Amino acid sequence: MATTPAPSMHHLTRAMASDAAGAGARRILVCGGGVIGICTAFFLAKKGASVGLVEKSAIACAASGKAGGFLALDWCDGSPLGPLARASFRLHQTLAQELDGPRAYGYRPLNALSLTFSEQPNAYKVVAGGVSPWIDGPVRRLSTIGTPETTAQVHPKLFSETLLRAARDRYGVEVVMGEVESVEVEGGRVRGVLVGGELLPADAVVLALGPWSNRLPLLSSIFRVSGVKAHSIVLEPHDPKAITPHALFLRYITAQGVEIDPEVYPRPTGEVYVCGMSETTEVPDDPQQITPKEESVAMLHRVAATVSSHLRGAQVKEEQACFLPCSEDGHPIIGRVPNVGGVYVATAHSCWGILNGPATGAALAELILEGRASIVDLEPFNPGRFI
Ligand SMILES: Cc1cc2nc3c(=O)[nH]c(=O)nc-3n(C[C@H](O)[C@H](O)[C@H](O)COP(=O)(O)OP(=O)(O)OC[C@H]3O[C@@H](n4cnc5c(N)ncnc54)[C@H](O)[C@@H]3O)c2cc1C
């Protein structure tokens, strides 16, 4: 996205004002340029709406650019998230066929393994040449928990950028950089959002602000979205060809006997992403001010070095942190904001926002433009459940 300058706020105001003159034009503003806002803008525009996307910092600058990008068909079965996840897993397959050639964002089916590792001396024997030769650390209890039929991955930042580029180039979505300061309501109905003190007019507004959702009183008066901070590193191993497509879900015991549950995802780019080390702490206003904690990053390097000799001494590409947006009941919040016409919300996707972005966006587009979501029942995610 950095290659194409976003139109100025004034340009967007003018463009939308002139659209308003067109017969029956639906002007929709999606606020938040993370995966949820981008997917929503994409599906709204694909259905013919005139869409603006407002982002205060940079596209996919927060969790949507720093996540693992792991996707699972059936890991949410048995919870309210099950149907959303299944629909979204299928949509990822369709989107990859439509948009991912030639390897724009690295969609690929892969295997997933559950393993226990220990740093404690002689706790477990080193399994050499086991399921895959690069996993050569002290491992125990290895089981397959996902196969290429049920698990896959994308590079989340490249996915978000590719989808937004398609939304803009194919369907005319306009990107505006600026902070949404408030949602303007008149007579019980939305009339736009205030950005830099100016009204951007809209018939409908979607608030996809991730862990910043509570900054708007319209939302914080109904529910609470908190941010859980998590860390990640991206490594470039010396011999990327040795690293097979296996996502690793670890139970990891440190030398001090502390148990943690990091995850390791090799990517088709040849990089290896390692994440974990979460904590509850205040979300800074500016996403660019989210900095990783030194000890947490150091722990992830220890994990990488223990799991594989190929990751020991690997080139370090990223050391970063970001926030999972979480609701009070642990489920996403998607749908109409109660007591005000034309305002919708999509947030609190916790650790499954990359997976569930497409079905969230597609369902919201149906709800907003057709009055009802058919791809998946949004009722379990209704913001009204908190009233
Ligand atoms: C370490 C880690 C690993 C993860 N791994 C996976 C995974 O493997 N698979 C998976 O499915 N999910 C994963 N997730 C979860 C996923 O990343 C999130 O659920 C998802 O990115 C949330 O997207 P979002 O668009 O809601 O929020 P965000 O990505 O936080 O985006 C919100 C955007 O809104 C903007 N914004 C905020 N306030 C304003 C305002 N007032 N005006 C304008 N813009 C504003 C912000 O700048 C930001 O760009 C992971 C998360 C973490 C932290």
Side-chain angles (χ1 to χ4, degrees):
M1 287 306 100
T3 51
T4 319
S8 74
M9 188 178 66
H10 301 98
H11 168 80
L12 185 73
T13 309
R14 274 202 309 280
M16 295 217 134
S18 61
D19 280 354
R26 292 291 321 256
R27 292 158 300 130
I28 302 173
L29 279 178
V30 177
C31 307
V35 71
I36 302 300
I38 291 170
C39 287
T40 306
F42 176 88
F43 284 104
L44 279 167
K46 193 174 181 184
K47 281 184 168 290
S50 159
V51 179
L53 180 110
V54 190
E55 164 57 45
K56 77 169 176 179
S57 180
I59 294 302
C61 62
S64 301
K66 296 174 180 168
F70 180 77
L71 316 173
L73 172 72
D74 53 3
W75 289 19
C76 301
D77 281 1
S79 87
L81 223 52
L84 184 74
R86 280 182 170 268
S88 222
F89 189 84
R90 298 292 181 217
L91 268 178
H92 268 291
Q93 290 173 326
T94 315
L95 286 171
Q97 283 163 7
E98 203 181 311
L99 303 171
D100 196 24
R103 304 211 77 77
Y105 55 84
Y107 173 88
R108 69 171 175 184
L110 84 176
N111 295 286
L113 304 176
S114 163
L115 318 96
T116 304
F117 277 89
S118 176
E119 285 182 351
Q120 294 178 329
N122 306 320
Y124 310 135
K125 69 175 185 338
V126 173
V127 178
V131 66
S132 181
W134 69 278
I135 309 164
D136 54 9
V139 66
R140 191 180 69 162
R141 275 205 215 116
L142 182 151
S143 57
T144 299
I145 52 175
T147 65
E149 285 69 49
T150 59
T151 48
Q153 72 180 147
V154 295
H155 186 301
K157 188 165 177 56
L158 298 180
F159 171 69
S160 301
E161 289 176 349
T162 303
L163 208 64
L164 183 56
R165 196 176 308 118
R168 199 189 50 204
D169 297 351
R170 296 184 185 184
Y171 309 122
V173 168
E174 297 195 60
V175 178
V176 60
M177 300 311 293
E179 179 165 2
V180 173
E181 291 148 0
S182 63
V183 178
E184 296 298 295
V185 177
E186 198 173 78
R189 231 204 118 71
V190 73
R191 63 185 192 104
V193 298
L194 220 54
V195 177
E198 272 194 53
L199 178 74
L200 299 189
D203 297 312
V205 166
V206 179
L207 301 171
L209 305 175
W212 291 275
S213 300
N214 275 177
R215 300 291 201 272
L216 294 179
L218 184 70
L219 300 183
S220 60
S221 61
I222 304 169
F223 50 74
R224 214 176 95 75
V225 175
S226 56
V228 174
K229 188 174 181 180
H231 292 77
S232 54
I233 57 173
V234 180
L235 303 174
E236 293 177 322
H238 313 297
D239 181 13
K241 288 203 179 68
I243 314 290
T244 53
H246 288 86
L248 312 182
F249 291 78
L250 310 184
R251 175 171 165 257
Y252 187 94
I253 302 151
T254 68
Q256 295 71 31
V258 177
E259 280 194 31
I260 54 173
D261 51 0
E263 294 161 19
V264 180
Y265 304 136
R267 289 179 164 161
T269 49
E271 302 161 350
V272 176
Y273 172 97
V274 184
C275 71
M277 307 307 293
S278 54
E279 60 179 296
T280 306
T281 176
E282 200 55 37
V283 183
D285 268 335
D286 180 357
Q288 310 294 349
Q289 280 171 4
I290 302 170
T291 48
K293 237 166 88 175
E294 233 173 83
E295 314 87 272
S296 301
V297 165
M299 189 66 236
L300 293 179
H301 281 294
R302 258 166 68 184
V303 168
T306 305
V307 167
S308 173
S309 59
H310 290 263
L311 303 180
R312 239 169 270 154
Q315 185 87 21
V316 180
K317 189 174 179 197
E318 304 283 355
E319 293 176 336
Q320 58 199 8
C322 56
F323 283 85
L324 299 161
C326 302
S327 68
E328 286 161 281
D329 62 8
H331 301 310
I333 306 171
I334 312 166
R336 268 191 204 97
V337 173
N339 305 326
V340 48
V343 183
Y344 299 81
V345 63
T347 187
H349 287 72
S350 185
C351 62
W352 287 118
I354 308 299
L355 168 64
N356 289 323
T360 298
L364 257 187
E366 290 179 333
L367 179 69
I368 295 169
L369 299 176
E370 290 149 22
R372 192 180 152 268
S374 66
I375 178 171
V376 65
D377 179 13
L378 287 179
E379 198 42 43
F381 314 115
N382 189 341
R385 72 187 187 274
F386 295 104
I387 292 181

